[in-house]
Amino acid sequence: MKSLDVYVRDGIYTTLVFAVAFAVNLLIQEQMGIWSLVPMIFVLGIFLISLKTQGYFWGILASLSSVFAVNYAFTYPYYAFDFILPESFFSAAVMLTVAIVTSTRTTKIKEQEKMRAESEMEKMRANLLRAISHDLRTPLTSIYGSASVMVENYEELSQPRQIQMLEEIRKDSQWLIRMVENLLSVTRLDGENVQVIKTPTVLEELIDATLMKFRKRYPDQPVTVSIPDQFISIPMDGMLIQQVLINLLENAVLHASGMTELTLAVHTEETQAIFVVEDNGCGIPKDRMEHLFTGYLEHTGAPADGNRNNMGIGLSVCSTIIRAHGGTLRAENRAEGGARFCFSLEMEMDDQ
């Protein structure tokens, strides 16, 4: 299906360029009486067609059509074919050469770009696997260790100690579940033709659902919320945008050492709703800013707050989801201290 779409697109493009070249030549002849520009204009059209279309077919077709057009409409006797003239063979040779050389060069460039893109994708996947292996090892080791201690020393452990270890196992399990959810989202959205199904979502309902889920995980963490008073509807995949907001809030809890304020704010600018999550914690280290949304962060040391370092995975998910919605996730350090993450979504506009 994709190849058919490309074929139709290239055919339409070739027809338009050829028609424009033909019309320009007619106009120049009628208005200026200049004949020498005819072959050059057709050669330019062939070059543009060969440059923008896939393969050799459309470039060669355009060159042959140009030869017929020059012979029929711009060579005496007019509006009649006469291929006896040597100019016709020379024009055909030149135009075919331009088409073949340009198509060959363009094809090679596209193949190189494809190989480069595939290489970058493989590198990103390898980095992601390294990040996953690092981030999953810690909770799995903790779960295994706690379970082993309870099995081997069950009678010696006091009940409070057993409850404490079970609570640690539960927290690690919950963390693993969230990590798997993030990875599934990356897998779902990390294709070339990503399309999310957008449905109108009321902003207030989105924020309420997000905070409800977040407070179940972090009941002791207050969040200051600021949203417009007016009714706002935004086309989106509500579950995915909820995950973005939860991940951003959760990253602040896990990584913003010294944080005392966490804010989720939304404001409007023309046709867009701007979402902002910010804190007054330690901010983002400069060496991490460049790779913040790539899905892999170098684990050069323990996090500032001693929590697991899953920031790279979560923010990669957020960035992928926002890109699929046509936006861009941005991060910066606040001048007054702390970090700020923001993205924008197009609002549903009233046609009336």
Side-chain angles (χ1 to χ4, degrees), residues 13-23 25-26 29 35 37-50 57-75 80-83 87-99:
Y13 176 79
T14 300
T15 302
L16 290 175
V17 173
F18 182 80
V20 170
F22 193 90
N25 278 323
L26 286 178
Q29 277 194 328
W35 303 84
L37 295 178
V38 171
M40 288 188 288
I41 292 175
F42 275 115
V43 167
L44 176 60
I46 293 169
F47 173 77
L48 293 176
I49 291 170
S50 302
F57 175 76
W58 295 109
I60 293 176
L61 178 62
S63 63
L64 294 176
S65 300
S66 297
V67 171
F68 282 106
V70 170
N71 187 276
Y72 181 77
F74 303 100
T75 304
F81 290 109
D82 183 6
F83 293 102
E87 289 86 349
S88 299
F89 296 99
F90 180 75
S91 297
V94 171
M95 293 179 183
L96 282 172
T97 301
V98 171

Side-chain angles (χ1 to χ4, degrees), residues 98-299:
V98 171
I100 292 173
V101 170
T102 305
S103 297
T104 300
R105 183 60 180 166
T106 302
T107 300
K108 289 183 178 180
I109 292 175
K110 290 178 179 178
E111 289 177 353
Q112 292 174 354
E113 291 177 350
K114 182 178 179 181
M115 292 177 61
R116 188 182 302 111
E118 291 177 351
S119 177
E120 290 295 327
M121 183 62 68
E122 288 300 323
K123 182 179 179 181
M124 181 177 177
R125 288 172 180 169
N127 288 339
L128 183 61
L129 286 174
R130 283 195 290 269
I132 293 169
S133 64
H134 181 281
D135 288 333
L136 296 186
R137 188 182 298 116
T138 300
L140 288 174
T141 302
S142 177
I143 291 173
Y144 176 78
S146 297
S148 298
V149 169
M150 291 191 66
V151 170
E152 297 172 2
N153 305 281
Y154 179 78
E155 294 181 356
E156 289 82 5
L157 294 175
S158 63
Q159 186 176 7
R161 178 56 177 162
Q162 292 179 17
I163 294 175
Q164 180 184 1
M165 298 183 71
L166 289 173
E167 181 64 24
E168 292 175 354
I169 291 175
R170 184 176 70 172
K171 289 182 178 179
D172 287 329
S173 300
Q174 290 175 338
W175 186 90
L176 286 173
I177 291 172
R178 293 196 294 273
M179 176 67 78
V180 171
E181 290 174 350
N182 285 342
L183 294 175
L184 289 175
S185 294
V186 170
T187 303
R188 171 186 168 187
L189 296 171
D190 197 20
E192 293 182 357
N193 297 318
V194 174
Q195 288 187 349
V196 295
I197 300 176
K198 298 180 181 180
T199 56
T201 303
V202 178
L203 175 62
E204 186 176 358
E205 295 177 357
L206 171 72
I207 300 301
D208 288 343
T210 299
L211 293 176
M212 184 179 299
K213 292 182 179 179
F214 177 76
R215 284 165 180 160
K216 286 182 179 179
R217 300 179 185 179
Y218 303 97
D220 298 328
Q221 175 60 57
V223 179
T224 302
V225 179
S226 175
I227 62 174
D229 294 330
Q230 68 267 31
F231 177 86
I232 296 177
S233 179
I234 306 172
M236 66 172 75
D237 184 321
M239 295 299 295
L240 290 178
I241 298 300
Q242 280 185 39
Q243 186 172 1
V244 169
L245 295 173
I246 291 172
N247 277 357
L248 294 179
L249 292 170
E250 184 177 51
N251 276 327
V253 174
L254 296 178
H255 302 281
S257 178
M259 178 185 68
T260 58
E261 296 179 4
L262 179 58
T263 302
L264 170 58
V266 183
H267 64 275
T268 59
E269 293 182 5
E270 297 181 351
T271 63
Q272 293 187 325
I274 313 298
F275 291 75
V276 180
V277 175
E278 58 184 11
D279 61 74
N280 64 343
C282 60
I284 304 169
K286 293 182 179 179
D287 59 341
R288 291 192 172 191
M289 190 69 76
E290 182 180 355
H291 304 287
L292 204 57
F293 303 115
T294 61
Y296 175 66
L297 294 175
E298 293 288 344
H299 299 285

